[in-house]
């Protein structure tokens, strides 16, 4: 059973470009969470999605950031017009349900560098 | 307000000895879950152990155990018989019953000395 897949693992963008990060949850998992980790810090929640629905985007910046989890295909985190402050590691996690006891399993992360 | 506090930025332990990584949390929700994750230098987040707020017993998973003191709101991770491969960042995290996200502490960097 493959784990959570994220690609690319490393992404370099120039200021003003778009960054598109992909996440394929574990098989059988329909709940996806995105987190951001700045250097030497813990992870910060960004958004929680189920198939075709954004459930909670309270941690996502209001502008330039968007997320989707289509019926077919991976979840996508999109950052438009990137700035240097967007440089971070972005982690996706998935769980089979949304119960309190459900462990969130993390992907390897995408390390975004904005030049 | 800080929900999860890890007061030890860095810890050192001798190989084969036990080490305790501290974690305190703050919540008024009676239902919550506490998680520990390991992040080695390669960067991935590896789930280690889970403790539910209503669990009567302390959680154990192999060499990992969780010292859960509910009244003190602490959930310390104990690693027994440390190995060199245990050197990593360790994050404590909490999920509360009525919220969607998981809150993480700032982490503790553990270094195991040979």
């Amino acid at each position: 059973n493959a784990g959570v897949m994220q690609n690319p693992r490393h992404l370099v963008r120039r200021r003003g470009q778009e960054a598109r990060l992909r996440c394929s949850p574990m098989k059988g998992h329909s709940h996806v969470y995105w987190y951001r980790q700045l250097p030497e810090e813990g992870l910060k929640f960004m958004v929680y999605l189920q198939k075709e629905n954004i459930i909670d985007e309270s941690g996502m910046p209001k502008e330039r950031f968007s997320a989707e989890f289509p019926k077919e295909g991976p979840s996508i985190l999109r950052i438009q017009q990137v700035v240097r402050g967007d440089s971070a590691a972005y982690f996706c996690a998935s769980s089979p349900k949304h119960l309190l006891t459900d462990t969130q399993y993390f992907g390897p992360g995408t390390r975004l560098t904005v030049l | 307000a800080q929900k999860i506090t890890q007061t030890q930025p860095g810890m050192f332990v001798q190989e084969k000895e036990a080490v305790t990584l501290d974690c305190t949390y703050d919540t008024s929700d009676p239902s919550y879950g506490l998680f520990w994750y390991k992040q080695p230098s390669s960067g991935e987040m590896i789930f280690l152990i889970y403790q539910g707020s209503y669990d009567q017993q302390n959680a154990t998973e192999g060499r990992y155990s969780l010292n859960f003191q509910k009244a003190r709101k602490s959930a310390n991770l104990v690693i027994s018989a440390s190995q060199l491969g245990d050197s990593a960042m360790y994050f404590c995290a909490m999920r509360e019953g009525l919220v969607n996200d998981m809150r993480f502490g700032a982490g503790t960097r553990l270094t195991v000395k040979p």
Side-chain angles (χ1 to χ4, degrees):
Chain A
N1 189 9
V4 179
M5 312 270 285
Q6 286 187 252
N7 67 81
R9 294 291 303 275
H10 300 274
L11 183 61
V12 179
R13 284 288 177 266
R14 295 191 181 281
R15 281 179 296 170
Q17 292 184 318
E18 178 179 285
R20 192 173 292 210
L21 289 60
R22 294 176 186 77
C23 168
S24 296
M26 286 179 73
K27 189 175 181 180
H29 289 196
S30 57
H31 301 259
V32 166
Y33 310 81
W34 285 93
Y35 293 83
R36 178 165 62 178
Q37 184 182 31
L38 296 173
E40 302 301 317
E41 292 187 11
L43 279 67
K44 298 284 195 300
F45 168 78
M46 298 181 74
V47 62
Y48 159 46
L49 311 102
Q50 290 182 40
K51 279 288 186 183
E52 300 185 272
N53 290 304
I54 297 174
I55 308 301
D56 182 347
E57 54 183 350
S58 58
M60 200 129 83
K62 295 285 186 284
E63 297 178 353
R64 301 188 299 107
F65 285 73
S66 63
E68 62 180 19
F69 189 15
K71 187 177 180 181
E72 301 289 339
S75 176
I76 306 285
L77 179 68
R78 184 184 291 112
I79 312 172
Q80 296 177 303
Q81 299 176 323
V82 296
V83 301
R84 290 232 173 95
D86 297 333
S87 294
Y90 292 83
F91 287 92
C92 165
S94 73
S95 66
K97 299 176 187 175
H98 188 59
L99 300 176
L100 187 63
T101 53
D102 277 342
T103 298
Q104 292 181 16
Y105 292 93
F106 284 80
T110 294
R111 274 136 191 92
L112 172 65
T113 302
V114 180
L115 302 177
Chain B
Q2 196 71 286
K3 290 277 188 176
I4 295 282
T5 303
Q6 295 181 252
T7 57
Q8 308 152 314
M11 288 282 285
F12 290 88
V13 65
Q14 206 67 37
E15 195 178 5
K16 299 180 185 175
E17 292 185 350
V19 63
T20 298
L21 306 183
D22 294 342
C23 173
T24 57
Y25 57 92
D26 181 28
T27 181
S28 56
D29 193 330
S31 297
Y32 54 89
L34 297 156
F35 302 80
W36 277 91
Y37 287 87
K38 172 185 178 181
Q39 187 176 42
S41 56
S42 50
E44 69 268 35
M45 294 286 289
I46 302 167
F47 166 71
L48 295 178
I49 195 166
Y50 164 81
Q51 179 86 44
S53 60
Y54 295 116
D55 292 344
Q56 297 295 317
Q57 307 269 1
N58 284 346
T60 59
E61 288 286 348
R63 293 187 300 112
Y64 304 109
S65 60
L66 206 151
N67 183 2
F68 181 45
Q69 299 187 42
K70 195 169 181 177
R72 292 186 176 185
K73 293 188 176 178
S74 74
N76 299 338
L77 177 70
V78 181
I79 306 174
S80 63
S82 296
Q83 302 172 356
L84 295 178
D86 293 335
S87 293
M89 282 289 285
Y90 288 81
F91 291 97
C92 178
M94 176 176 67
R95 277 194 65 197
E96 296 167 283
L98 296 177
V99 299
N100 291 312
D101 63 322
M102 188 150 55
R103 302 287 182 97
F104 283 79
T108 296
R109 184 175 297 280
L110 176 67
T111 303
V112 180
K113 294 183 174 181

